Amino acid sequence: MDYASITVRTEADKVGIVTLNRPKQLNALNDQLMDELGHALKAFDADENIGCIIVTGSEKAFAAGADIATIANLSFAQAYKTDFVSSNWETIRSVRKPVIAAVSGFALGGGCELAMACDFIIAADNAKFGQPEIKIGVIPGAGGTQRLPRAVGKSKAMDMALTGRMMDATEAERSGLVSRVVPLDQLMTETLGAALMICDYGQLAVMAAKEAVNRAFEGGLSDGIMFERRLFHALFSTADQKEGMDAFIGKRKAVFTHR
Ligand code: CO8
């Protein structure tokens, strides 16, 4: 598939990188961009050689939200009938390999929601996060009211959703929305470093870790602990567990085969 609103590349043949590419609209998310993103994520997820995926934008904007021009005249009937935003956002949720958001500049509205839909966020020091939908008469529509409070707690999430104010990178890190903040010129180097590190671990354990942490978001503590325990048990049937522990005991570097 030829892409017009994103670019894709790989690094070291094992990290898939998707760059949102609608610079004139600050990477505002329209159907085409979301379709292409969904397609690219699925393709990387299915590619045996890829161990981790990075989603990023431009220096000025990760994404400034839904493309307001294309939804300004949307009716309730159209939105409801087409279940607006569901399909590609479900695709993002279904990706089993880790997806890291490398965010510089604005991550607003759907852009903030897209970053939060990734597994973790590494932010440049110029990043700004916000859910400003209230200013244009709506609310977040792609998980923002659910993921933001889970990330930063109720008070800050309410503040963001009700006032529409932006949070800078320092506040975002302090609040737990992002995992690290780095200087803008080191954003991709740092994110790639994390991605390559993940690629070199056993893929089954990586996928299990992602699935188990996601459970913490979705259900209660007892269910989550039981789910984690079962995955933990299952990993003892993998060659990578034998190799990882054998290498530790033998004081050598593990070579994982993802089996
Ligand atoms: N949609 C469409 N175009 C946009 C958007 C957007 N969200 N954001 C910026 N642009 C365009 C501007 O219209 C402008 O275009 P032009 O040059 O043709 O006039 C260009 O990008 C540059 O923007 P500005 O001149 O405004 O640049 P500034 O640096 O002055 O300001 C801001 C940058 C602060 C990011 C400002 O552009 C802004 O506030 N943008 C809107 C942010 C916003 O309200 N986002 C929420 C949108 S609603 C939403 O996301 C609901 C989520 C629903 C689920 C997701 C579905 C995909």
Side-chain angles (χ1 to χ4, degrees):
M1 180 171 174
D2 286 335
Y3 298 125
S5 300
I6 61 169
T7 61
V8 295
R9 67 186 174 93
T10 57
E11 188 73 30
D13 292 331
K14 49 189 171 185
V15 179
I17 303 175
V18 181
T19 304
L20 310 183
N21 187 32
R22 298 186 73 217
K24 285 192 185 132
Q25 296 84 7
L26 303 184
N27 292 332
L29 308 171
N30 61 6
D31 285 347
Q32 183 182 30
L33 184 151
M34 290 306 301
D35 286 348
E36 292 181 3
L37 176 62
H39 185 275
L41 289 176
K42 264 196 202 161
F44 280 140
D45 204 29
D47 185 335
E48 292 262 311
N49 297 314
I50 297 296
C52 189
I53 303 166
I54 297 171
V55 177
T56 193
S58 68
E59 282 189 11
K60 178 154 189 203
F62 177 72
D67 189 325
I68 299 170
T70 66
I71 59 170
N73 293 319
L74 188 70
S75 68
F76 167 76
Q78 284 170 307
Y80 186 72
K81 201 166 174 185
T82 59
D83 203 12
F84 176 56
V85 321
S86 83
S87 63
N88 285 308
W89 292 84
E90 291 306 320
T91 302
I92 298 168
R93 259 161 65 90
S94 72
V95 173
R96 299 191 67 199
K97 291 173 185 166
V99 182
I100 310 174
V103 174
S104 45
F106 297 109
L108 302 177
C112 187
E113 292 173 302
L114 176 58
M116 290 192 289
C118 297
D119 297 315
F120 64 100
I121 303 172
I122 298 181
D125 51 13
N126 75 336
K128 286 194 186 311
F129 298 87
Q131 298 291 164
E133 290 89 344
I134 199 78
K135 295 182 180 177
I136 54 169
V138 288
I139 64 169
T145 64
Q146 304 305 301
R147 289 197 177 97
L148 192 60
R150 283 167 166 80
V152 304
K154 176 184 166 186
S155 189
K156 229 174 235 299
M158 282 287 190
D159 180 1
M160 307 285 293
L162 294 175
T163 69
R165 79 170 174 89
M166 292 186 216
M167 196 188 255
D168 66 17
T170 309
E171 185 181 2
E173 186 183 30
R174 194 173 67 228
S175 315
L177 179 59
V178 311
S179 68
R180 330 176 184 179
V181 177
V182 297
L184 175 59
D185 63 0
Q186 284 163 39
L187 178 65
M188 282 317 283
T189 313
E190 181 88 6
T191 310
L192 262 173
L196 288 167
M197 184 180 277
I198 291 167
C199 288
D200 286 344
Y201 295 133
Q203 200 172 75
L204 297 168
V206 165
M207 286 163 71
K210 168 169 172 161
E211 206 177 354
V213 173
N214 274 334
R215 259 305 158 107
F217 257 46
E218 317 234 324
L221 183 61
S222 301
D223 278 353
I225 285 175
M226 187 49 74
F227 184 75
E228 176 198 79
R229 190 176 306 153
R230 292 297 177 237
L231 282 177
F232 179 69
H233 295 165
L235 287 168
F236 284 84
S237 68
T238 67
D240 284 345
Q241 175 269 324
K242 299 289 176 276
E243 166 62 10
M245 295 192 184
D246 192 62
F248 177 81
I249 290 163
K251 299 191 185 306
R252 61 178 176 83
K253 187 173 168 17
V255 180
F256 293 113
T257 52
H258 311 310
R259 286 181 294 116

